[in-house]
Amino acid sequence: MIQLRIFRNTDPPALLDIWNESFTGRGAYPLRSAALLEHCLFSKPYFDHAGLILAEDEGKAVGFVHAGFGPNSAETGLSFDTGIICTLAVRPTFRRRKIGSQLLQEAEAYLRHLGAARIVAGGMRPLNPFYFGLYGGADSPGFLASDALAQPFFEHHGFQPVATTLVFERKLEGYQPVIDPRFVALRRRYDVQLIPQPEIQSWWQECVLGNFEPVEFRLQDKLSGITAARALVWEMSGGRQPGHGAAGILTVQVRPDVQRQGLAKFLLNQMIRYIQEQFFRTSEVHIPEQNEPMIELFKSLGFERVDLGRSYHNPSEASHPTAAPSPPA
């Protein structure tokens, strides 16, 4: 008989086993110890035992679901308006027994008990309290299409896609820098700088990214000293092939008054060349599907689409009361 309970401090080995059995696609990092669970889950200041729910069969953990919340608009604390189903996993040999459905129901009850009026399935920045670095690759993509069971499961429970991000990858072996006639003038005007410890812009970003220590590349005007463009990149933990280092590009920003002059392309070209020289094998970036200029930019640099991610929400959830029974004990 399946029983549900909240997380206990002795559960990490069981979570590790369930994770490795359940997430075998390109976007999941295989766990060899519980250390990454500590970095990506338990060390977060907002981690709540009650939000991590396990399913047991005769005392053996066979699945889990993890629910949480995103930041307020200033990213200075949590907002309980929107709840997030961060991940859900059931051991393959225990599937098709409605265990996932029970876990989802309990996670929704937990979120509504704490005030969530809306529930999203699949963490996507900034609604990504957990699992950055463990699942998704360069960023938090919701649930990847390469995890073929996710979409039919959530759609069966009334959830519909609400946001889509495209996953692009660039093999760096033999990378040849892009040539653009605008680069000559840009090289004269701007310095490319590497900032090993960039300033994290909010409490929330520090919580999500802090353990992974991203580095910043920026273009600085040689005359004024003003930063014209910046990009954040981090050394990805993921990849199922040991020794195949991967760099994840997190953000690319250009100051509004100097946009459409080739600065982003110039900065990325320099950054990718540097990454290649550090013996990284691939680079990855996630781009919202509606951001066509950014998609075209990365395509011009040789990036190819390899996956997509989606987050989901239940449009009928407004009919549910925001108050619910206490979280499962």
Side-chain angles (χ1 to χ4, degrees), residues 230-306:
R230 63 190 295 266
L232 279 182
V233 63
W234 67 289
E235 182 176 355
M236 292 165 55
S237 306
R240 303 190 69 85
Q241 299 172 296
H244 286 218
I249 300 173
L250 281 170
T251 58
V252 181
Q253 299 173 334
V254 179
R255 212 173 64 235
D257 60 306
V258 289
Q259 290 179 356
R260 301 185 182 278
Q261 298 179 24
L263 273 73
K265 188 175 184 180
F266 176 67
L267 175 61
L268 288 170
N269 194 46
Q270 299 296 313
M271 184 179 76
I272 293 169
R273 184 170 64 177
Y274 176 86
I275 291 170
Q276 180 199 33
E277 291 172 351
Q278 303 307 306
F279 303 105
F280 285 90
R281 300 289 294 276
T282 62
S283 183
E284 182 178 300
V285 65
H286 295 189
I287 308 173
E289 67 170 349
Q290 68 271 22
N291 192 341
E292 294 183 5
M294 192 65 70
I295 291 171
E296 292 305 313
L297 168 63
F298 277 92
K299 283 183 176 179
S300 73
L301 294 167
F303 282 74
E304 298 179 348
R305 193 179 119 182
V306 294

Side-chain angles (χ1 to χ4, degrees), residues 35-292:
L36 274 178
L37 291 176
E38 177 66 30
H39 283 306
C40 301
L41 279 71
F42 310 133
S43 67
K44 307 297 184 186
Y46 42 76
F47 174 74
D48 181 4
H49 285 60
L52 181 50
I53 304 164
L54 284 78
E56 288 186 333
D57 180 63
E58 297 183 354
K60 177 182 179 180
V62 298
F64 71 91
V65 65
H66 194 180
F69 295 90
N72 58 29
S73 58
E75 297 193 350
T76 57
L78 291 184
S79 168
F80 295 94
D81 295 334
T82 298
I84 308 149
I85 307 295
C86 302
T87 194
L88 192 155
V90 177
R91 293 182 191 264
T93 54
F94 285 84
R95 291 173 183 167
R96 301 190 180 280
R97 294 173 53 179
K98 299 189 181 301
I99 298 173
S101 299
Q102 294 178 59
L103 287 168
L104 178 62
Q105 182 180 3
E106 292 296 328
E108 289 181 292
Y110 161 78
L111 294 171
R112 292 195 184 99
H113 175 76
L114 293 179
R118 179 172 182 262
I119 294 176
V120 172
M124 190 177 289
R125 192 161 34 129
L127 302 178
N128 61 336
F130 305 104
Y131 299 96
F132 176 86
L134 283 186
Y135 179 86
D139 209 336
S140 301
F143 290 104
L144 292 169
S146 55
D147 286 336
L149 297 178
Q151 182 167 349
F153 173 81
F154 286 107
E155 289 184 346
H156 173 74
H157 289 87
F159 286 75
Q160 296 179 3
V162 67
T164 300
T165 187
L166 306 181
V167 181
F168 287 85
E169 185 179 88
R170 177 66 159 89
K171 303 296 184 184
L172 299 182
E173 188 173 0
Y175 175 76
Q176 296 296 323
V178 174
I179 298 175
D180 187 310
R182 296 174 295 180
F183 289 177
V184 175
L186 294 177
R187 193 172 288 109
R188 291 181 184 139
R189 180 173 178 180
Y190 296 100
D191 280 326
V192 180
Q193 297 183 343
L194 170 63
I195 312 299
Q197 295 180 318
E199 180 181 355
I200 302 296
Q201 296 183 342
S202 71
W203 170 82
W204 181 254
Q205 290 186 34
E206 180 65 41
C207 290
V208 174
L209 304 178
N211 285 328
F212 293 95
E213 300 180 347
V215 299
E216 178 180 328
F217 287 80
R218 64 173 61 161
L219 287 183
Q220 190 169 59
D221 191 300
K222 294 179 180 180
L223 295 178
S224 67
I226 297 175
T227 298
R230 63 190 295 266
L232 279 182
V233 63
W234 67 289
E235 182 176 355
M236 292 165 55
S237 306
R240 303 190 69 85
Q241 299 172 296
H244 286 218
I249 300 173
L250 281 170
T251 58
V252 181
Q253 299 173 334
V254 179
R255 212 173 64 235
D257 60 306
V258 289
Q259 290 179 356
R260 301 185 182 278
Q261 298 179 24
L263 273 73
K265 188 175 184 180
F266 176 67
L267 175 61
L268 288 170
N269 194 46
Q270 299 296 313
M271 184 179 76
I272 293 169
R273 184 170 64 177
Y274 176 86
I275 291 170
Q276 180 199 33
E277 291 172 351
Q278 303 307 306
F279 303 105
F280 285 90
R281 300 289 294 276
T282 62
S283 183
E284 182 178 300
V285 65
H286 295 189
I287 308 173
E289 67 170 349
Q290 68 271 22
N291 192 341
E292 294 183 5

